[in-house]
Amino acid sequence: LKKNNIKSHDWLINLWSDYIFEEELISIFKKTINIHPSYLPYCKGSDPILWTLINEFQAGVTLHSINTKIDSGNIYCQKKIKTSFPIKGSDLYSCIANESISFFKQNWIKIRNGKLKTLKNNTPNKIYKRSELIKYQTIDINKNIKIKKFILKALAYDFNDDFKLKIKYKNNEYFLSLNLEKIK
């Protein structure tokens, strides 16, 4: 891109892609906004919904300006999303996808018209990468006897809807059922 060949535009709007914008592109826009599916500054980078669950971070949506650092632009506004145990990644993903669109629609006019003051997007500076997620995706139960014993216990109790392993969390009890599927 050559700036002298490109006209200036009002807004660069990014809907939670993993693309990292270069300064040359950012500079042709007067303003920028990214719709990010986490409650920043937590879970900057790739796969924030999974990292939110893995690390037990606050779930949410953040609308922030774009700069050359990953998910580090000033924050226009945020919304916390309440979750409760147990929640699957796919369920939280659907919830956050819907909330992101709704939250953007609710706040776009105020942001566009400069009615919201931005907040600094401070620490933590941990950037999560897809390669880390893939690295931790596999649990080798040959190397972790506690997890192996847990899986064996869950399978041993998995007879029917009324007789499964019980899990206690806070003041609640849950039945646990495992679905192991051979992949290779």
Side-chain angles (χ1 to χ4, degrees), residues 89-101:
S90 59
D91 293 339
L92 184 57
Y93 183 92
S94 294
C95 174
I96 288 180
N98 291 329
E99 282 296 328
S100 293
I101 294 165

Side-chain angles (χ1 to χ4, degrees), residues 20-61:
I20 301 169
F21 296 97
E22 295 180 19
E23 180 59 39
E24 194 172 8
L25 178 63
I26 295 169
S27 68
I28 66 171
F29 293 91
K30 295 175 186 168
K31 300 269 186 168
T32 61
I33 187 170
N34 182 41
I35 304 166
H36 186 73
S38 81
Y39 196 79
L40 291 176
Y42 303 103
C43 298
K44 293 178 180 180
S46 296
D47 307 299
I49 293 166
L50 279 79
W51 290 113
T52 294
L53 290 172
I54 289 168
N55 293 309
E56 299 183 78
F57 290 140
Q58 171 65 56
V61 176

Side-chain angles (χ1 to χ4, degrees), residues 150-155 158 164-165 176-180:
F150 173 77
I151 290 171
L152 290 173
K153 188 174 183 178
L155 292 171
D158 198 350
K164 295 181 182 184
L165 186 65
L176 176 70
S177 180
L178 295 179
N179 179 25
L180 296 179

